[in-house]
Amino acid sequence: MTSPSKAPIYFMTARVAFKKRKVVHERVVWIVSVFDDPNDIRNHDSKTMHRLETELYGKNAKSDKHIIIREILDKKFISNSTLSLDEHRKQNKK
């Protein structure tokens, strides 16, 4: 039995959009994740999304926090994770 391939960890800069007081703002932020697709980051990486919410809205915001990752601008390989991508996806379903 072969071991599953380990997921690469990336340091990325991404362009995100968020709504604050009925005005849409856009910013460039950094993201460290094993997922390199904006939809995968939004759906499976809860730590990154929580960090972006507190960074963009602050810790005392009471409104709905909707963040859209528009595109990944830059992606750099850091190292390999100890888990595979499937294990990372299962980890966030709990």
Side-chain angles (χ1 to χ4, degrees), residues 17 52 57 64 66 69 87:
L52 289 176
Y57 286 102
D64 292 333
H66 298 289
I69 301 174
E87 292 170 336

Side-chain angles (χ1 to χ4, degrees), residues 25-40:
H25 300 280
E26 286 196 9
R27 288 208 183 137
V28 175
V29 295
W30 61 271
I31 296 172
V32 175
S33 180
V34 295
F35 304 106
D36 57 352
D37 184 44
N39 288 328
D40 285 341

Side-chain angles (χ1 to χ4, degrees), residues 24-82:
V24 177
H25 300 280
E26 286 196 9
R27 288 208 183 137
V28 175
V29 295
W30 61 271
I31 296 172
V32 175
S33 180
V34 295
F35 304 106
D36 57 352
D37 184 44
N39 288 328
D40 285 341
I41 294 170
R42 182 175 53 84
N43 293 330
H44 301 294
D45 199 350
S46 59
K47 284 184 181 182
T48 299
M49 291 307 292
H50 181 69
R51 184 189 63 80
L52 289 176
E53 286 175 2
T54 56
E55 180 181 330
L56 298 174
Y57 286 102
K59 65 179 183 178
N60 294 327
K62 294 178 179 139
S63 64
D64 292 333
K65 301 171 190 168
H66 298 289
I67 298 174
I68 300 169
I69 301 174
R70 302 257 177 165
E71 66 177 326
I72 303 295
L73 301 174
D74 187 26
K75 179 171 71 170
K76 294 179 185 175
F77 173 78
I78 297 176
S79 69
N80 287 321
S81 173
T82 58

